[in-house]
Amino acid sequence: MLNREKILQQIERWNQELATEKKIQNEDLLIEWIKNSETIISFSSREIYSKILSIFGFHLLHNGISRSVVKVWMEQAKEYDPNNKDARSFLRHELSFEKKTLFSHLNFPIIRETDNRTSKLKIANQYVHQCQTFLAESESFLDELYFEEDDVFIQEMKRIVEHARNVTAQLLNAANLYVESIAGVFHHSAYLDDIHQYLKELEEWKSRWEQLFSDSLLKESKKNALDELNEMIGLHSVKERVRQFYQFLKYQKKRKELGLQSSDVISLNMVLTGNPGTGKTTLARLLAKIYHELGVLPREEVIETNRSQLVGSFVGQTEENVRTMVEKALGGVLFIDEAYSLKREDASGSDYGQTAIDTLVSLMTGNEYGGKFAVILAGYPEEMRSFLQANPGLRSRFPESNMIELPDYSNEELVKIGVKVANENDYFLTESAKRALSYKIEQERVDQTFGNARAVKNIILDTIFRKGSHFHEDTPQIFSLSIIERDDLIDRDSTTTTSTPMEKLHQLVGLESIKKEVESLISFVKIQQHRNNKGLPTVPLQIHSVFTGNPGTGKTTVAQIFAELLKECGLLKRGHLVTVGRADLIAGYVGQTALKTKKIIREALGGVLFIDEAYSLFRESSNDFGKEAIDTIVEEMTKHDENLVIILAGYSNEMKWLLESNPGLKSRFKKFFHFPDYSPLELGTIMKNIAKQYEYQLKEDTLDAVVKKIEDLRPSGNGRFAENLIHAAIQQQAVRLAQTFEEISDQELKTIQLQDILNAWEQLRSGENL
């Protein structure tokens, strides 16, 4: 039971944690107490609640949140208890730091005896104005300044300001007397001596003031490129590689200063490879800064460009575009993102990508611009390797040692990046929010198109947007405006659904054996996932499946639900369904089928790839590319493991023939689901359910008659036939009712009669759909 004593004990533990570990361990409890202010105050007091707020403020400060955000929390704490010592101390120091520039007006030009009267008068009047300004501002500062007896820092500030005010007042008096003497017939040099003496004293107090702030958190220091590199999250191997390059450039610079020459100049051209959001652009800017700091290049500017800005659409335009970009980059760095796109494999004769490459190489090596700028190429690793291999002239300008591959960030590193993005926007991520962010990152990390840091930044910014759009007045305002919690990272719109995947499965008509098999498999997956979380050995999951059965027996529908179920139990990240056939996988010439198939598989990663009529992939023909598609599928299944589930679908006999023809395929498909034909009664129920979706109804006698007709004629198509028939019947009902449009009742609008269905049957049969 919560009481005052327990609250005080917990506060003491939190204070000890802040003193020793600089963070709160039980953050969730602290946040819960802050959000339930009325409850905490009822069990303790406003003063104790104020202490809780100030503890959280220091927790924020130690976790990288800006002092401006912490200041808001401390002001809130001070509102609950004006005597909160910790809050008052922080706010006093904030006030003092805000007044760090108090002495900035005390910059006085020198008055010389050799200056003419007009010049002396002008400078003396400046002295008067600056003294008056400082005296007014410092008086306001002292009025605002409040401090405790033991606050040595604030007392020293007060002492310095008071002494500086006394000297400034004397200087003001001396400056006024000097102005009067200059304006008169005689002027006394004694006044000028006094001014010089006061200026000297004032400079000493100004120096003491600056020394007081020399160790403050607000001390500004200019960071060099290596400092900025070290502050980047992760990229340990990249940092080490760049540090080595930096040291080598310094080494070369020292040799040059001693007059030692190198016959071969080190190349500044770099190739940065990596997936989206791994920091290629940021690293390019840091390299440019390094080149400039070491005097290798006169400018640190980076000119960023891409294919669209370089490749023209007519003869001569490309050369001009490339030359223009190079001229802009002279003395700095030309950064070409997605450089591999300059030359496309399927380019037509009117594509000038190769012209752009040839022109760039020519300008890099020519007498006019050669050695006067650096080129940094960036793009996906595999594409960049292929691109450079296909362009020897370009490849020779980029030594192997200057090729840096930026790895994908780990989830832990991406969470740190998310925290940094939130902090930069004056938001704090709670521990539960960090866990939710990690889960969300893992769900989005499907293939090489994952945006890494860029994706995380978008997640945080989207979260901030949703938080603002769902703002509730009942939440403590300061909390809503500066804290991101777990629930903020959940997309509320995406979580609203009419039924769960398992409910959807059981709502399907018939398919009882299929439902049991799917439910059994999902239970197996869940238990294996749970065992894995507990650190227990797991049985390998063999989820790739074969769906056999006639058309219209629900294979695609069950595949969609199956994908959603696998996402729900955490096996698949996206849980979407990609449905394809032979034409979507097979191309018309050698080498393109594999590329086409890989592209489809990339789209399906994190979900289910459903290959309908899969047996059509394999044909006993020497010039058929189906075998290439199958081999690619087998290869990709191994590569992506549990990040992809493939379902092969088709007629039973044909599917057996396909699997027997390819041992590699057969060994990877262990789950078989046979979809039986629907019974006449089940088809009638399907029709009834489809009609109900659109608020139509079939009377019992009508439904019985339809079921009897199906039993007698046995139409093909199964569920597809039922769907086509009911849609055609709805159309026939519209034709019938349109003849008496003005007299139609609501009940007539909803009712499908037997004749509507019989007319629809004839219509479908005449169209050879039965």
Side-chain angles (χ1 to χ4, degrees):
M1 178 67 181
L2 194 65
N3 55 47
R4 180 185 177 91
E5 184 179 351
K6 287 186 176 179
I7 293 173
L8 288 173
Q9 289 174 351
Q10 183 61 61
I11 287 175
E12 181 59 29
R13 282 194 291 271
W14 282 334
N15 279 324
Q16 290 175 0
E17 288 174 358
L18 283 175
T20 58
E21 302 174 34
K22 305 300 183 184
K23 66 179 294 186
I24 299 299
Q25 297 299 328
N26 196 349
E27 184 186 87
D28 291 340
L29 179 62
L30 178 57
I31 289 171
E32 181 185 339
W33 284 11
I34 291 172
K35 292 172 72 174
N36 294 284
S37 56
E38 293 182 5
T39 302
I40 299 300
I41 291 171
S42 68
F43 279 109
S44 55
S45 64
R46 289 177 62 88
E47 290 76 14
I48 290 177
Y49 184 72
S50 173
K51 289 182 180 179
I52 294 171
L53 289 175
S54 58
I55 284 172
F56 190 69
F58 285 119
H59 178 60
L60 293 177
L61 185 65
H62 294 314
N63 279 275
I65 285 290
S66 69
R67 297 181 71 91
S68 60
V69 175
V70 178
K71 180 183 176 184
V72 175
W73 280 86
M74 293 304 185
E75 287 173 343
Q76 188 82 15
K78 189 167 174 284
E79 282 185 25
Y80 279 92
D81 178 16
N83 296 315
N84 183 318
K85 188 175 180 180
D86 290 332
R88 285 168 61 89
S89 176
F90 181 87
L91 292 172
R92 284 197 309 274
H93 283 77
E94 281 305 289
L95 173 63
S96 65
F97 284 130
E98 289 170 4
K99 295 297 183 179
K100 182 183 176 183
T101 59
L102 182 65
F103 282 68
S104 61
H105 291 296
L106 300 180
N107 290 315
F108 300 95
I110 299 174
I111 302 177
R112 299 180 178 85
E113 283 291 350
T114 55
D115 292 341
N116 59 46
R117 183 184 295 264
T118 302
S119 177
K120 290 177 180 177
L121 185 62
K122 181 179 178 181
I123 295 174
N125 281 322
Q126 287 181 25
Y127 279 31
V128 171
H129 174 72
Q130 289 177 24
C131 287
Q132 290 173 339
T133 300
F134 174 74
L135 289 171
E137 290 187 356
S138 58
E139 182 180 13
S140 174
F141 169 70
L142 291 174
D143 289 341
E144 294 177 13
L145 192 65
Y146 57 92
F147 60 94
E148 312 292 343
E149 291 300 324
D150 60 348
D151 199 328
V152 178
F153 183 82
I154 301 298
Q155 287 182 358
E156 181 63 12
M157 285 183 65
K158 183 173 181 293
R159 188 180 77 84
I160 292 173
V161 171
E162 287 176 343
H163 279 286
R165 280 176 56 79
N166 290 334
V167 176
T168 303
Q170 292 174 310
L171 177 61
L172 175 62
N173 183 58
N176 280 323
L177 291 173
Y178 187 66
V179 169
E180 292 176 4
S181 73
I182 293 175
V185 178
F186 301 102
H187 98 265
H188 300 284
S189 60
Y191 297 141
L192 185 59
D193 292 338
D194 290 342
I195 287 174
H196 288 156
Q197 178 60 35
Y198 296 139
L199 284 175
K200 183 178 179 182
E201 292 180 27
L202 196 56
E203 193 62 34
E204 291 178 2
W205 289 112
K206 183 179 177 182
S207 177
R208 292 185 188 184
W209 178 265
E210 292 173 351
Q211 183 63 36
L212 189 63
F213 288 92
S214 62
D215 298 324
S216 75
L217 294 175
L218 298 183
K219 183 181 179 182
E220 296 179 2
S221 59
K222 188 175 181 182
K223 298 175 184 176
N224 62 33
L226 279 186
D227 292 333
E228 291 182 34
L229 177 69
N230 290 330
E231 287 180 1
M232 291 179 70
I233 293 168
L235 304 175
H236 303 295
S237 60
V238 174
K239 290 176 181 177
E240 181 58 30
R241 178 69 189 85
V242 174
R243 275 194 290 268
Q244 291 173 0
F245 190 66
Y246 181 85
Q247 291 301 325
F248 179 77
L249 289 177
K250 282 184 69 175
Y251 170 75
Q252 292 289 74
K253 183 180 179 182
K254 287 290 184 184
R255 282 175 53 86
K256 188 175 181 181
E257 290 172 354
L258 292 173
L260 301 174
Q261 301 298 317
S262 298
S263 58
D264 297 313
V265 180
I266 183 70
S267 173
L268 303 180
N269 303 321
M270 307 286 285
V271 176
L272 306 180
T273 63
N275 291 324
T278 48
K280 297 186 293 294
T281 305
T282 302
L283 183 57
R285 291 168 183 163
L286 286 177
L287 286 169
K289 192 170 182 180
I290 287 173
Y291 295 159
H292 177 64
E293 286 178 2
L294 297 179
V296 181
L297 289 176
R299 298 162 57 209
E300 65 177 71
E301 187 176 0
V302 178
I303 302 300
E304 299 177 25
T305 188
N306 52 37
R307 175 187 166 89
S308 64
Q309 295 174 310
L310 296 174
V311 180
S313 55
F314 53 85
V315 175
Q317 187 182 25
T318 298
E319 291 91 336
E320 183 180 343
N321 290 347
V322 174
R323 178 176 285 273
T324 298
M325 284 299 174
V326 167
E327 288 174 348
K328 286 182 180 180
L330 287 177
V333 171
L334 179 65
F335 178 73
I336 306 177
D337 198 14
E338 296 183 359
Y340 54 83
S341 65
L342 288 177
K343 180 62 175 175
R344 296 170 175 168
E345 291 184 7
D346 57 348
S348 64
S350 59
D351 184 271
Y352 298 103
Q354 186 61 49
T355 303
I357 296 168
D358 295 340
T359 305
L360 178 63
V361 171
S362 173
L363 294 174
M364 289 171 67
T365 56
N367 293 328
E368 187 177 8
Y369 298 135
K372 297 179 181 178
F373 69 105
V375 177
I376 298 179
L377 306 179
Y380 291 113
E382 188 175 337
E383 285 82 346
M384 286 301 296
R385 279 191 289 270
S386 300
F387 168 68
L388 290 171
Q389 288 171 3
N391 293 275
L394 192 63
R395 171 71 179 81
S396 63
R397 270 73 190 175
F398 295 86
E400 190 73 29
S401 59
N402 285 23
M403 295 186 184
I404 300 177
E405 183 168 347
L406 284 73
D408 287 338
Y409 289 101
S410 67
N411 280 15
E412 184 181 356
E413 290 167 344
L414 288 172
V415 169
K416 289 180 181 178
I417 290 171
V419 170
K420 186 177 180 182
V421 173
N423 289 356
E424 288 170 351
N425 287 277
D426 282 350
Y427 280 94
F428 173 74
L429 255 67
T430 65
E431 290 300 319
S432 60
K434 291 175 189 175
R435 291 191 291 271
L437 176 60
S438 180
Y439 175 79
K440 197 158 189 173
I441 289 168
E442 183 59 32
Q443 293 304 108
E444 290 200 14
R445 191 195 287 273
V446 178
D447 56 24
Q448 70 268 31
T449 62
F450 172 65
N452 281 283
R454 200 174 304 152
V456 172
K457 183 175 183 178
N458 289 338
I459 290 173
I460 296 298
L461 296 181
D462 288 344
T463 299
I464 292 172
F465 174 80
R466 284 200 306 275
K467 186 174 180 67
S469 63
H470 292 87
F471 176 70
H472 294 294
E473 295 291 344
D474 56 347
T475 306
Q477 190 178 66
I478 185 176
F479 203 91
S480 294
L481 299 178
S482 60
I483 307 298
I484 293 177
E485 296 183 272
R486 173 189 173 278
D487 289 348
D488 296 321
L489 280 153
I490 298 174
D491 189 348
R492 294 169 176 82
D493 298 329
S494 66
T495 58
T496 55
T497 180
T498 54
S499 56
T500 66
M502 193 58 76
E503 287 171 343
K504 290 180 184 178
L505 180 68
H506 287 291
Q507 287 167 6
L508 296 177
V509 175
L511 303 175
E512 296 307 322
S513 62
I514 295 295
K515 292 174 185 176
K516 289 180 182 178
E517 289 182 62
V518 170
E519 191 169 3
S520 173
L521 182 56
I522 293 301
S523 297
F524 170 72
V525 171
K526 286 182 177 178
I527 292 300
Q528 294 307 310
Q529 295 283 88
H530 191 58
R531 284 177 61 88
N532 183 57
N533 294 336
K534 295 285 186 180
L536 297 171
T538 58
V539 178
L541 297 175
Q542 297 175 329
I543 311 298
H544 304 298
S545 306
V546 177
F547 284 9
T548 60
N550 291 323
T553 48
K555 297 187 293 294
T556 307
T557 303
V558 171
Q560 177 65 69
I561 296 173
F562 189 48
E564 294 173 13
L565 284 167
L566 291 173
K567 179 188 178 183
E568 187 180 63
C569 65
L571 184 66
L572 292 179
K573 297 176 182 179
R574 295 164 67 183
H576 65 305
L577 181 73
V578 175
T579 304
V580 297
R582 174 186 167 89
D584 300 300
L585 301 172
I586 295 177
Y589 47 96
V590 176
Q592 292 304 303
T593 293
L595 294 175
K596 198 172 182 181
T597 302
K598 285 181 180 180
K599 182 179 179 183
I600 291 292
I601 287 174
R602 279 200 298 269
E603 293 174 9
L605 287 177
V608 172
L609 177 62
F610 183 84
I611 306 177
D612 202 11
E613 297 183 0
Y615 49 82
S616 66
L617 290 177
F618 190 72
R619 295 174 180 171
E620 294 182 351
S621 172
S622 59
N623 59 353
D624 184 75
F625 301 113
K627 186 177 183 301
E628 185 181 349
I630 293 172
D631 292 341
T632 304
I633 289 169
V634 172
E635 178 187 342
E636 293 294 310
M637 287 170 70
T638 305
K639 183 188 300 183
H640 297 293
D641 196 23
E642 293 177 4
N643 195 28
L644 173 70
V645 171
I646 294 180
I647 295 176
L648 306 179
Y651 294 112
S652 300
N653 292 333
E654 285 82 347
M655 290 304 298
K656 289 179 183 177
W657 172 75
L658 170 66
L659 294 173
E660 290 295 334
S661 67
N662 190 301
L665 202 61
K666 184 179 180 180
S667 66
R668 286 166 174 79
F669 288 88
K670 302 294 186 181
K671 302 297 177 185
F672 291 82
F673 297 84
H674 180 69
F675 289 71
D677 289 343
Y678 288 105
S679 68
L681 182 59
E682 288 171 341
L683 290 174
T685 305
I686 291 173
M687 292 177 62
K688 182 181 177 181
N689 291 345
I690 294 172
K692 188 177 179 180
Q693 289 178 15
Y694 302 101
E695 293 193 29
Y696 286 95
Q697 60 187 26
L698 279 72
K699 292 183 178 179
E700 285 301 319
D701 56 346
T702 300
L703 187 58
D704 292 342
V706 173
V707 171
K708 181 68 170 64
K709 190 172 180 64
I710 292 172
E711 287 176 347
D712 294 340
L713 297 180
R714 288 288 178 179
S716 61
N718 283 289
R720 203 167 298 156
F721 156 75
E723 184 177 5
N724 290 340
L725 183 60
I726 196 64
H727 281 293
I730 290 171
Q731 186 177 353
Q732 289 299 319
Q733 184 234 39
V735 172
R736 174 173 55 80
L737 293 179
Q739 298 174 6
T740 56
F741 191 78
E742 300 295 333
E743 304 170 7
I744 305 172
S745 67
D746 290 349
Q747 187 59 39
E748 286 177 308
L749 278 172
K750 295 179 180 179
T751 303
I752 296 175
Q753 296 181 1
L754 177 58
Q755 191 59 47
D756 298 327
I757 294 177
L758 294 176
N759 291 341
W761 193 297
E762 290 300 319
Q763 179 190 12
L764 292 178
R765 192 167 73 169
S766 65
E768 296 183 353
N769 287 321
L770 294 182

